[in-house]
Amino acid sequence: MGIEIKKRKPVEKLEKMARRYALYYPQGKRRHLKGIADYILFVKEKMKEILEERGISVIYHFAYYAFGRKLHKLLKEKREWEIPLREVLLEIKEALAEK
């Protein structure tokens, strides 16, 4: 007896969120939903493709999604210099490898 996970398409998810948030946030609805739409339709879908191609387990996707959200935000705000790139990640790897 397994657990069935119900997956929705991103557009259906956005439509449901629009109906729910329209009741509580009529002024900020458009801006809020646009940000969510950017993330769900662009960032998350692209990252999901990359992670699945690389064979990364679904249990680790949340960490990559959090990193992708931060990158997307910094790129939208044109603050590329704040993005922690390869050098930082390599430094963390080397520090953790030391015993």
Side-chain angles (χ1 to χ4, degrees):
M1 188 168 164
I3 298 173
E4 184 178 331
I5 298 173
K6 185 177 176 183
K7 291 187 178 182
R8 280 189 304 235
K9 295 178 183 174
V11 175
E12 292 173 1
K13 187 175 184 179
L14 286 172
E15 288 172 350
K16 181 179 178 184
M17 290 170 68
R19 286 191 303 271
R20 185 183 314 155
Y21 288 111
L23 299 173
Y24 301 110
Y25 307 107
Q27 262 72 33
K29 179 182 77 167
R30 175 178 288 151
R31 191 177 37 167
H32 178 72
L33 291 176
K34 184 185 180 314
I36 292 172
D38 281 351
Y39 172 69
I40 289 175
L41 297 176
F42 179 70
V43 178
K44 191 172 181 182
E45 287 302 311
K46 294 228 183 252
M47 290 187 67
K48 185 177 179 182
E49 290 174 15
I50 293 168
L51 296 173
E52 287 176 354
E53 285 176 11
R54 297 287 179 130
I56 295 174
S57 176
V58 176
I59 199 161
Y60 297 114
H61 284 200
F62 75 93
Y64 289 99
Y65 290 155
F67 185 68
R69 269 195 309 274
K70 183 68 173 174
L71 287 177
H72 183 61
K73 180 179 179 182
L74 291 173
L75 289 170
K76 276 185 11 180
E77 295 173 353
K78 302 196 184 323
R79 294 172 20 201
E80 294 90 6
W81 66 89
E82 293 182 29
I83 296 174
L85 289 180
R86 187 169 294 161
E87 298 83 21
V88 175
L89 298 175
L90 286 174
E91 187 177 333
I92 291 170
K93 177 186 168 193
E94 290 170 4
L96 295 176
E98 295 176 0
K99 292 187 178 183

